[in-house]
Amino acid sequence: MADPPWDIHMELPYGTMSDDEMRRMNVQVLQDDGVLFLWVTGRAMELGRECLEIWGYRFVQELLWVKTNQLQRIIRTGRTGHWINHSKEHCLIGVKGDLDDRFNQNLDCDVICAEVRETSRKPDEMYDLLERLAPGQRKLELFGRPHNVHKGWTTLGNQLGKTQIAEPWLRQHLLDEGVFEPQDLAPMPTPPRDPLVPPWGGHDPPERLPREGMQ
């Protein structure tokens, strides 16, 4: 999953990337077979589809997040939108390679109704949806922030502060190898009380860890 800092020609509390910078991201090397959920803004919808194609993905569907307030009513005011206020956000879905039987298709619908929180933060319901779609599979989030860190996920982003590693065996391996000191690592995230997909992400270590991969 990726929530890029698209340049939407508005003042934002974080840095953005130009259209060409997005096209040049080397996302295509991250996986041979899999699914990418790409959040886009209104002006970046076509650019998002273009980026999916550049990165080797085939656009297959779009997911909508309908924004609600604390009363579970649709948001009707705000500073987003150029002509009318936006009450929804779009997430493009691209697929790549052979998905075989590792993915559970047709379990969820293409609309999420969830409460709006701080600027650009996406609904936590996305993580439950993706766990149901691909239980036990490795998951990566690009442009993540501290609230995006989840067990069983690799989270990359320039706002994370300390290194976030939430997979226990990998965390301990990197400490044992001297790649990190304990003070370099952020605390483990708190697991949910009732995860929808037990054992709430995570993977057993591979039988043999490649030494050259740890250089």
Side-chain angles (χ1 to χ4, degrees), residues 10 42 65-67 74-90:
M10 294 177 63
W65 166 30
V66 177
K67 300 180 177 181
I74 294 178
I75 292 290
R76 300 182 184 277
T77 60
R79 67 185 187 91
T80 60
H82 296 284
W83 295 96
I84 54 177
N85 286 315
H86 292 169
S87 294
K88 66 184 186 309
E89 290 198 29
H90 302 255

Side-chain angles (χ1 to χ4, degrees), residues 9-199:
H9 303 160
M10 294 177 63
E11 185 176 347
L12 297 169
Y14 53 82
T16 60
M17 294 177 64
S18 70
D19 295 355
D20 284 339
E21 287 175 323
M22 289 303 307
R23 293 185 182 98
R24 290 195 300 267
M25 286 196 65
N26 206 18
V27 175
Q28 58 267 25
V29 304
L30 295 177
Q31 61 180 181
D32 296 322
D33 306 291
V35 181
L36 175 59
F37 282 70
L38 180 66
W39 289 99
V40 294
T41 60
R43 72 161 294 273
M45 290 184 65
E46 293 304 318
L47 174 61
R49 292 193 184 206
E50 181 185 347
C51 287
L52 284 178
E53 184 176 357
I54 292 172
W55 300 335
Y57 292 86
R58 175 172 56 90
F59 171 76
V60 292
Q61 199 165 347
E62 179 181 320
L63 180 144
L64 287 182
W65 166 30
V66 177
K67 300 180 177 181
T68 63
N69 58 22
Q70 293 179 337
L71 300 176
Q72 300 305 303
R73 295 175 178 172
I74 294 178
I75 292 290
R76 300 182 184 277
T77 60
R79 67 185 187 91
T80 60
H82 296 284
W83 295 96
I84 54 177
N85 286 315
H86 292 169
S87 294
K88 66 184 186 309
E89 290 198 29
H90 302 255
C91 185
L92 307 180
I93 304 173
V95 299
K96 181 180 183 182
D98 182 14
L99 303 188
D100 53 51
D101 59 353
R102 293 173 294 169
F103 294 86
N104 297 321
Q105 300 181 41
N106 301 320
L107 286 182
D108 287 273
C109 71
D110 57 359
V111 177
I112 291 177
C113 296
E115 186 178 326
V116 171
R117 294 171 292 179
E118 57 264 41
T119 300
S120 81
R121 184 169 181 174
K122 301 304 185 286
D124 290 341
E125 286 84 347
M126 283 296 298
Y127 296 100
D128 294 332
L129 184 152
L130 294 174
E131 289 290 354
R132 290 189 294 269
L133 174 70
Q137 302 300 319
R138 291 196 175 274
K139 299 175 181 70
L140 168 69
E141 182 161 10
L142 303 178
F143 306 103
R145 291 184 289 171
H147 61 251
N148 298 121
V149 176
H150 283 68
K151 182 181 178 182
W153 285 69
T154 300
T155 307
L156 304 178
N158 63 3
Q159 298 183 39
L160 291 174
K162 291 187 176 182
T163 299
Q164 308 267 353
I165 300 176
E167 200 156 349
W169 71 265
L170 179 59
R171 186 185 184 95
Q172 189 58 52
H173 175 77
L174 294 175
L175 288 171
D176 293 343
E177 291 291 312
V179 177
F180 294 109
E181 297 294 330
Q183 63 270 21
D184 297 328
L185 301 177
M188 289 280 286
T190 303
R193 287 182 291 181
D194 186 19
L196 293 179
V197 183

